[in-house]
Amino acid sequence: MLPKIILYDEIPADLLERLEQHTDVTVIDTFKGIPDTELHALLSATEGMIGVGETIGPKILDLAPRLRVLSTISVGYDYFDVPELTGRGIQLMHTPNVLTDTTADMIFMLMLCAARRATEVHENVRQGKWREAVGAEWFGSDVHGKKLGILGMGRIGLAVAKRGYGGFNMEILYYGRSVNEQAEKDFQAKRLPLDQLLAEADFVCVTLPLTDSTKKLISSRELGLMKPTAFLINGGRGPIIDEAALIEALQKRVISGAGLDVYEKEPVPADSPLLSLPNVVTLPHIGSATHETRYAMAKCAVDNLLAALASQSLVNCVNPEALQHAS
Ligand code: DGY
């Protein structure tokens, strides 16, 4: 008998077909709002789940005693309580690698747009305000040749460093738990304590995952250490930056500007001051959002799910220890 799985997202038709060849798939939009009685029937025999953006909490887990594999269509897995899944013997699979370059491209776009004030002047042009050759009031700042401070030198941090060093002749500084030998060798990257990096960098790029130790890592004190000419770029997770502190720093020009793809609350509330500040570029969490990369992520997640269900494969598994708890 094919293992029962739940798909709680949309995936391309050919990938759905592949899932259907190997599993008994139930497709839902969301778990939210499903009455308890229906949830019970839906989950009691489920062995796998695949999707993104839902919190799979204890209530769902309690109703799914046969669940063995959760496959998220994302590299980040902060939606999940990993120790809880491990204790229940549930493997959590994610999609690293396939989105690295696309996300690094987006982070660079944020840097360039924030520094060159692209969205601000674009808006001016649209409003018919371009009536003569541009003067200093529309000038931006250079990116090339500046100091790029990267918070988190993982796969995405490394890809940002590569672009900055190789393409823009930037000096690479980084803050991270461990030394990244490749970054130091290939891009002459210098590992610094956080405060020193903040004080030296012209661009501070967040590429860290969200954990208890990175939550609100950047607040008023840290923003106050940055140069008034510097830019803060967030391509990691919103809660790593204290958003109220950032808004105040941007309003008071403690820093020059920000480029944000992620927010404390998503979608960002329509009345957030971030949306009306001229020195902020705001994107709607599109780090990996290209046709090619979203396809590759969905394919990776499908492969991860099928491999783990068939053979307890640990490729792209966040919590290999889960197997020791599996019954
Ligand atoms: C990821 O994969 O974690 C991206 O942020 C999309 O959610």
Side-chain angles (χ1 to χ4, degrees), residues 52 73-76 79 99 237 285 288 294 297:
V52 70
I73 310 176
S74 62
V75 66
Y79 305 107
L99 47 65
R237 284 290 186 262
H285 200 147
S288 61
R294 285 293 169 87
M297 290 166 71

Side-chain angles (χ1 to χ4, degrees), residues 160-317:
V160 172
K162 181 178 178 185
R163 284 155 178 73
Y165 182 78
F168 287 78
N169 194 27
M170 299 177 89
E171 188 178 329
I172 311 297
L173 314 174
Y174 74 104
Y175 163 77
R177 265 183 318 186
S178 45
V179 172
N180 186 313
E181 282 172 14
Q182 190 184 349
E184 300 200 356
K185 183 168 152 283
D186 294 352
F187 314 129
Q188 311 297 312
K190 258 200 299 188
R191 182 162 168 251
L192 294 180
L194 181 61
D195 287 3
Q196 196 182 337
L197 180 147
L198 292 170
E200 286 189 23
D202 297 300
F203 295 88
V204 174
C205 285
V206 179
T207 70
L208 290 160
L210 177 63
T211 63
D212 287 344
S213 59
T214 62
K215 199 166 182 185
K216 298 212 174 174
L217 182 72
I218 304 296
S219 193
S220 308
R221 189 191 74 84
E222 290 72 26
L223 290 160
L225 294 173
M226 289 174 65
K227 298 180 194 175
T229 50
F231 293 86
L232 181 63
I233 308 297
N234 194 358
R237 284 290 186 262
I240 296 171
I241 297 175
D242 178 341
E243 212 161 270
L246 175 62
I247 290 167
E248 198 184 336
L250 289 164
Q251 283 166 337
K252 295 185 175 161
R253 300 272 171 172
V254 173
I255 62 173
S256 189
L260 307 173
D261 187 43
V262 288
Y263 307 85
E264 274 181 1
K265 185 174 179 325
E266 293 180 11
V268 65
D271 61 354
S272 167
L274 289 173
L275 303 185
S276 49
L277 282 166
N279 51 343
V280 188
V281 178
T282 51
L283 297 180
H285 200 147
I286 55 161
S288 61
T290 64
H291 294 294
E292 299 91 331
T293 293
R294 285 293 169 87
Y295 181 89
M297 290 166 71
K299 179 171 182 315
C300 178
V302 166
D303 290 346
N304 289 342
L305 177 71
L306 295 179
L309 284 174
S311 66
Q312 300 188 325
S313 159
L314 293 179
V315 178
N316 297 332
C317 182

Side-chain angles (χ1 to χ4, degrees), residues 61 128 325:
L61 297 177
H325 297 263

